[in-house]
């Protein structure tokens, strides 16, 4: 298994280009299932999760054409031959987002067999809201041998199609909202999703669906209305910049006392993160598609609480724990989205951080320095927190199990190296 060796202590300086967003790319790839015509996506990041999703779609009968370019890949998906609406356990267990095929499959193929994701490192993460929503749209659902089986109802006109419905999710769920929004595109009648996720990735997906002929309004608010159409068509869509990758590089520069310029980045979707970095003493300037950050000599600690968008994202919590580990003062971090999402804390403590965990609250007392050590990555964003800590720590830090990072950060070592970090992959 690959490891990452970081020699810490150097400030990040220079420029890096931000990739297309993983969390937008995954649902957008699934949107191809909704039409017989080709869907072309540009600025697709080269990530293991994208490969996993493409492999899954290919297994279902989707033809895939991938061109490598300097600003991410261009991927064309042709789902005219969709003949196997099944997502097997082997795929879903490595990537929970595979659940995103459920809605589009039930909508277009009229049936779907998708493995339950099971537990994952950051908590139970059930998919009951996805199932509840599809059931409200008339799907006949059963759960058998670890698989969700969904079948669309027969309509009065004889067609097999989901029915539009009023949906309310018990909590804000991002992939739940995306799954139900995609399912509703081809349903008979109008669907209203209340308590919808407002994340920018939901909006990016809605924008593409509208270009494909869907009738959607309200994406970006907590009530999304979808008027079902009989069929959708192909289009070309550029994937939005990755706001979590952007935030991670900003944090890495902030923690190392650096100064960076991120191109192809959008500050509009990062208000909560930029606000906290400013509070910590960083100077940030945002332009239409770039962000510049200059860090102070030493950061001030910043307390935060994770919540659904537009509040502070749970996917940036680990990175801010790393920042706070070396900041001046004491920070209180509350995680309200996922239970068990503090696994990076014990690893940061191995590097010399002073962190106390009590339930969903972490109290981080900033220390003057961290010391390199061997640590283990436990999930994607936890790993990003450890990379930041490794860049700050004195001496060598070895991060084990970096396959988590390969799921979500395109060309991480290359980008960090170009910014002056000493980072090497050990195979
Ligand atoms: C998405 C993101 C992930 C991010 C998360 C929260 C993708 C591919 N992944 O994950 O990076 O960390 O949003 O911003 O976009 N829940 C239920 N039942 C459900 C659905 C969710 O109980 O049916 C709970 C979850 O366990 C969690 C909370 O709702 O506690 C929010 O989860 P959700 O927004 O669904 O996360 P994901 O969409 O899986």
């Amino acid at each position: 298994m690959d490891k990452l060796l970081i020699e810490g202590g150097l400030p990040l300086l220079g420029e890096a280009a931000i990739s297309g967003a993983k969390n937008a790319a995954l649902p957008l790839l699934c949107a191809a299932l909704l039409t017989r015509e080709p869907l072309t996506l540009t600025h697709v990041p080269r990530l293991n999760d994208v490969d996993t999703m493409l492999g899954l779609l290919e297994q279902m009968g989707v033809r895939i054409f991938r061109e490598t370019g300097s600003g991410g890949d261009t991927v064309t998906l042709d789902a005219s031959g969709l003949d196997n609406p099944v997502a097997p356990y082997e795929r879903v267990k490595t990537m929970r987002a595979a659940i995103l095929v459920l809605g589009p499959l039930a909508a277009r193929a009229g049936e779907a067999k998708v493995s339950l994701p099971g537990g994952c490192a950051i908590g139970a993460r059930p998919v009951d809201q996805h199932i509840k929503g599809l059931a409200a749209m008339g799907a006949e659902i059963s759960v058998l041998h670890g698989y969700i089986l969904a079948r669309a109802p027969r309509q009065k006109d004889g067609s097999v199609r989901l029915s539009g419905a009023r949906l309310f999710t018990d909590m804000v769920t991002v992939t739940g909202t995306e799954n139900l929004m995609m399912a509703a595109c081809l349903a008979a009648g109008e669907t209203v999703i209340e308590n919808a996720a407002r994340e920018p990735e939901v909006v990016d997906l809605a924008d593409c669906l509208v270009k494909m002929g869907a009738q959607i309004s309200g994406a970006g608010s907590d009530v999304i209305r979808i008027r079902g159409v009989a069929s959708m068509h192909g289009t070309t869509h550029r994937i939005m910049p990755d706001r979590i990758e952007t935030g991670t590089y900003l944090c890495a520069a902030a923690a190392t006392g650096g100064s960076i310029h991120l191109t192809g980045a959008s500050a509009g979707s990062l208000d909560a993160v930029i606000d906290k970095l400013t509070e910590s003493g960083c100077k940030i300037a945002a332009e239409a598609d770039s962000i510049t950050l200059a860090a102070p000599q030493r950061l001030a600690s910043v307390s935060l609480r994770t919540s659904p968008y537009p509040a502070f994202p749970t996917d940036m919590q680990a990175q801010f724990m790393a920042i706070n580990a070396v900041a001046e003062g004491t920070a209180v971090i509350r995680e309200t989205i996922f239970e068990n999402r503090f696994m990076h804390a014990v690893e940061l403590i191995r590097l010399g951080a002073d962190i106390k965990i009590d339930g969903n609250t972490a109290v981080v007392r900033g220390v003057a320095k961290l010391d390199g050590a061997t640590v283990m990555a436990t999930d994607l964003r936890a790993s990003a927190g450890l990379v930041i800590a490794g860049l700050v720590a004195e001496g060598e830090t070895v991060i084990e199990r970096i396959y988590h990072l390969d799921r979500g950060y395109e060309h991480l070592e290359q980008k960090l190296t170009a910014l002056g970090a000493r980072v090497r992959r050990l195979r």
Side-chain angles (χ1 to χ4, degrees):
M1 252 185 270
D2 289 6
K3 303 172 183 185
L4 204 62
L5 171 69
I6 304 178
E7 287 173 57
L10 295 174
L12 289 195
L13 299 170
E15 189 172 296
I18 293 304
S19 300
K22 168 181 91 70
N23 286 356
L26 297 176
L28 283 163
L29 291 170
C30 297
L33 292 168
L34 290 165
T35 173
R36 299 183 66 82
E37 295 183 15
L39 170 66
T40 298
L41 299 172
T42 64
H43 205 216
V44 179
R46 262 155 261 151
L47 300 170
N48 285 354
D49 272 9
V50 167
D51 294 343
T52 304
M53 189 63 94
L54 290 174
L56 172 63
L57 294 170
E58 211 158 28
Q59 218 175 324
M60 292 178 181
V62 179
R63 291 200 303 152
I64 290 159
F65 310 90
R66 193 171 183 173
E67 271 171 71
T68 299
S70 55
D73 290 358
T74 295
V75 177
T76 298
L77 304 105
D78 172 355
S80 57
L82 171 67
D83 59 2
N84 180 33
V86 178
Y89 177 63
E90 292 65 42
R91 303 272 184 185
V92 184
K93 77 168 184 213
T94 55
M95 186 189 63
R96 259 190 107 262
I99 191 72
L100 283 163
V101 299
L102 180 64
L105 284 179
R108 169 142 169 262
E111 57 175 332
K113 180 177 173 189
V114 178
S115 170
L116 283 167
C120 78
I122 59 174
R125 297 185 86 174
V127 290
D128 54 312
Q129 302 302 310
H130 304 234
I131 296 176
K132 184 177 103 170
L134 281 182
M137 297 172 81
E140 196 185 295
I141 308 251
S142 50
V143 177
L144 203 64
H145 305 304
Y147 278 81
I148 307 163
L149 306 168
R151 209 172 268 283
R154 190 166 291 282
Q155 301 289 332
K156 284 196 192 102
D157 63 3
S159 62
V160 175
R161 227 175 140 187
L162 294 168
S163 310
R166 240 191 140 71
L167 309 177
F168 182 84
T169 54
D170 295 348
M171 76 291 294
V172 176
T173 155
V174 179
T175 49
T177 301
E178 291 164 343
N179 230 339
L180 297 174
M181 183 167 73
M182 287 192 278
C185 287
L186 292 175
E190 191 186 59
T191 298
V192 180
I193 307 175
E194 291 189 53
N195 201 24
R198 292 183 280 167
E199 266 65 3
E201 293 77 10
V202 174
V203 179
D204 201 29
L205 173 63
D207 287 348
C208 178
L209 293 171
V210 167
K211 286 196 257 171
M212 293 168 71
Q215 294 188 8
I216 301 175
S217 62
S221 78
D222 58 1
V223 181
I224 303 179
R225 283 173 201 278
I226 307 110
R227 180 160 288 285
V229 294
S231 68
M232 290 167 71
H233 49 78
T235 192
T236 296
H237 184 79
R238 182 181 163 87
I239 294 173
M240 64 177 277
D242 196 312
R243 64 192 168 102
I244 304 301
E245 187 198 27
T246 307
T248 301
Y249 282 103
L250 291 177
C251 283
T256 56
S259 164
I260 57 168
H261 181 66
L262 299 176
T263 58
S266 162
S269 57
L270 269 169
D271 286 344
V273 167
I274 289 177
D275 191 56
K276 288 292 166 193
L277 286 170
T278 306
E279 192 183 324
S280 75
C282 295
K283 294 267 177 289
I284 299 181
E287 298 202 11
D289 68 346
S290 69
I291 306 178
T292 307
L293 176 143
Q297 279 253 311
R298 187 162 184 208
L299 296 168
S301 62
V302 282
S303 293
L304 57 96
R305 178 176 184 278
T306 65
S307 281
Y309 190 84
F312 190 90
T314 175
D315 284 352
M316 286 300 304
Q317 180 255 104
Q319 298 87 322
F320 271 78
M321 191 176 285
I323 280 194
N324 279 310
V326 289
E328 176 95 56
T330 298
V332 178
I333 298 181
R334 286 211 168 80
E335 172 59 55
T336 76
I337 307 289
F338 294 114
E339 79 265 31
N340 206 13
R341 207 182 197 181
F342 280 147
M343 271 129 23
H344 41 283
V346 278
E347 303 298 315
L348 291 173
I349 291 168
R350 290 178 48 71
L351 299 174
D354 178 351
I355 304 171
K356 301 270 180 304
I357 304 284
D358 180 11
N360 72 346
T361 303
V363 178
V364 188
R365 287 195 174 77
V367 295
K369 70 177 182 70
L370 297 177
D371 294 306
T374 296
V375 291
M376 189 153 67
T378 48
D379 72 59
L380 171 56
R381 305 308 171 183
S383 318
L386 296 179
V387 170
I388 293 172
L391 291 170
V392 174
E394 282 183 12
E396 287 187 356
T397 295
V398 175
I399 305 182
E400 297 193 340
R401 299 200 181 169
I402 55 160
Y403 55 84
H404 292 291
L405 283 165
D406 295 333
R407 288 187 42 213
Y409 288 92
E410 187 178 47
H411 298 152
L412 179 77
E413 304 103 270
Q414 291 90 325
K415 289 188 189 184
L416 286 174
T417 305
L419 289 166
R422 278 199 290 252
V423 178
R424 211 151 36 91
R425 184 178 286 249
L426 308 175
R427 293 193 187 269

